[in-house]
Amino acid sequence: KVKFGEETAEFPLESKTPWDWGSEGSWLGKKAFGASRLSVEFLAGMSTNFPGSSGSGLPAEFTAKRKIGMNNCPDMTLRFADGGSNDLMGILPLVQRNVKNIISIYNFNQNPPYADFTTTYADIYKASSGCKDLKDPNFNYHFTEWLKLMNPRLTCLFGYFGIKKINVANILNHVFWDPDQDVLKELMVKFNTLYENGQPLIAELKDLEVIDNPFWGVKAEQTQKINLTLIYYNMPKKFSEQVPLEVSGGIDEDGMFLNPEFRSVPHLSPDGANALFYSRAQINLMGHLGSWMVDQAWDGLKSKDGKVVFEGFGKIFK
């Protein structure tokens, strides 16, 4: 059972099989919009409809926000849309399948009112004063400032849900045991250390302990400890410094391009309307950056003083 405010729903639904969820609807409704029943066709049609599910207004209501009544809780509905509406990073299904090594890309930031799609890791680094030392007397303050700007779609996995509601079901996604936020503190230290050295932000969090999550069907006693590698899509200086001047237009102190066309790369808004207008060059540059990040980190990443921060993809895949 999972509690939503004052209501409680049971997962899985026991009174009917999934293909009986919902209703056939009226004759006119079926002709205009199709039956409100769970089906393979329904799921296939909705599985990649992120622009519609993230939009609003009359078109979104007709094309994206498909809702099916929950037969054992008549006042509630199941909403079907792009998976990123609920699980942005694709981590939870892999935890449910008891996968030992998981690699996930953190591709945009948002944490209102402190951060939005344009917030760069340079902004987050500065807000946390670049703190990299757990013994820093002001560490907890710097960590709090860092958390304010991090996406709760990521931090919710560790039990931190942010301070303001985002219209997705983050509250359902707590799956890693981190009561004192030690894992998130480790992540901040690693990301800040790599950022300072102009490296891609790639960190492995080892031996994460899993907790029960009834919504996702995760049972702690049946799940092994997990190694989670997070790739934060930022603009490392070691990459931007190598891009030809005629393309980059030069770079600023944060390593961001001065060329207006590429100024916001890689922090392109995932909003469906904006995505229609990105140039081929912008998209290709995102791809080149991703390839470079993997290649740069294959044999590991180090801090400025030569200490290993990430042991490398080569070690994970060997």
Side-chain angles (χ1 to χ4, degrees):
K1 294 184 178 182
V2 179
K3 194 171 181 61
F4 298 82
E6 298 301 318
E7 300 290 336
T8 300
E10 295 181 7
F11 294 93
L13 302 179
E14 296 178 352
S15 58
K16 289 186 179 181
T17 53
W19 54 84
D20 286 328
W21 290 357
S23 63
E24 291 291 351
S26 66
W27 177 86
L28 179 60
K30 285 190 288 185
K31 290 293 184 182
F33 310 113
S36 296
R37 291 286 294 273
L38 185 69
S39 66
V40 173
E41 294 85 357
F42 180 95
L43 294 177
M46 297 309 303
S47 63
T48 57
N49 197 353
F50 179 74
S53 68
S54 64
S56 60
L58 194 59
E61 292 297 328
F62 286 146
T63 64
K65 295 182 179 178
R66 304 299 192 215
K67 297 180 180 180
I68 293 180
M70 296 172 65
N71 43 288
N72 71 333
C73 192
D75 294 331
M76 298 175 61
T77 60
L78 293 171
R79 173 179 169 181
F80 292 83
D82 177 271
S85 301
N86 184 278
D87 171 33
L88 180 69
M89 304 177 70
I91 293 171
L92 288 157
L94 298 178
V95 174
Q96 194 274 337
R97 295 184 183 188
N98 199 21
V99 175
K100 175 65 176 178
N101 295 301
I102 299 174
I103 299 173
S104 181
I105 297 175
Y106 182 95
N107 61 343
F108 74 89
N109 204 52
Q110 183 188 30
N111 192 3
Y114 301 107
D116 57 27
F117 295 145
T118 64
T119 302
T120 69
Y121 196 82
D123 300 323
I124 300 173
Y125 177 85
K126 294 171 185 176
S128 64
S129 299
C131 183
K132 309 178 297 297
D133 187 356
L134 291 168
K135 297 179 181 179
D136 187 319
N138 295 316
F139 181 88
N140 286 336
Y141 171 78
H142 298 318
F143 175 66
T144 299
E145 295 302 302
W146 182 84
L147 265 185
K148 284 181 181 178
L149 278 73
M150 293 296 286
N151 198 331
R153 294 176 178 88
L154 165 64
T155 61
C156 69
L157 299 172
F158 303 90
Y160 181 78
F161 304 100
I163 64 169
K164 187 174 181 179
K165 176 183 176 183
I166 290 182
N167 191 28
V168 287
N170 293 334
I171 197 69
L172 301 174
N173 294 352
H174 186 191
V175 75
F176 296 124
W177 177 250
D178 191 24
D180 298 317
Q181 299 176 341
D182 291 331
V183 177
L184 289 174
K185 291 173 183 176
E186 175 189 349
L187 184 63
M188 182 188 83
V189 169
K190 287 183 173 180
F191 275 178
N192 281 355
T193 299
L194 292 169
Y195 177 83
E196 180 186 54
N197 196 28
Q199 297 281 17
L201 305 184
I202 303 174
E204 184 178 20
L205 304 171
K206 294 185 176 182
D207 295 323
L208 297 180
E209 186 175 345
V210 175
I211 64 173
D212 288 339
N213 186 308
F215 180 78
W216 286 96
V218 175
K219 296 182 178 179
E221 62 182 17
Q222 299 176 7
T223 308
Q224 62 188 322
K225 290 186 177 180
I226 288 171
N227 299 325
L228 175 63
T229 299
L230 294 172
I231 304 173
Y232 189 115
Y233 229 90
N234 76 310
M235 179 55 70
K237 267 192 176 182
K238 288 185 183 295
F239 174 81
S240 59
E241 289 172 344
Q242 298 180 53
V243 175
L245 185 63
E246 60 268 24
V247 175
S248 69
I251 60 174
D252 63 16
E253 62 177 4
D254 298 326
M256 300 295 292
F257 299 124
L258 297 179
N259 182 340
E261 182 178 6
F262 303 125
R263 181 67 177 161
S264 58
V265 173
H267 308 98
L268 301 176
S269 170
D271 182 85
N274 292 338
L276 296 173
F277 300 101
Y278 295 139
S279 68
R280 182 177 300 177
Q282 288 174 310
I283 295 170
N284 286 342
L285 187 55
M286 291 282 287
H288 290 314
L289 172 58
S291 296
W292 177 89
M293 290 169 71
V294 173
D295 184 70
Q296 180 78 358
W298 191 258
D299 294 320
L301 298 170
K302 296 181 179 180
S303 64
K304 267 190 171 182
D305 57 7
K307 294 180 181 178
V308 175
V309 180
F310 175 59
E311 294 177 339
F313 291 114
K315 185 171 182 179
I316 295 174
F317 287 106
K318 73 176 182 179

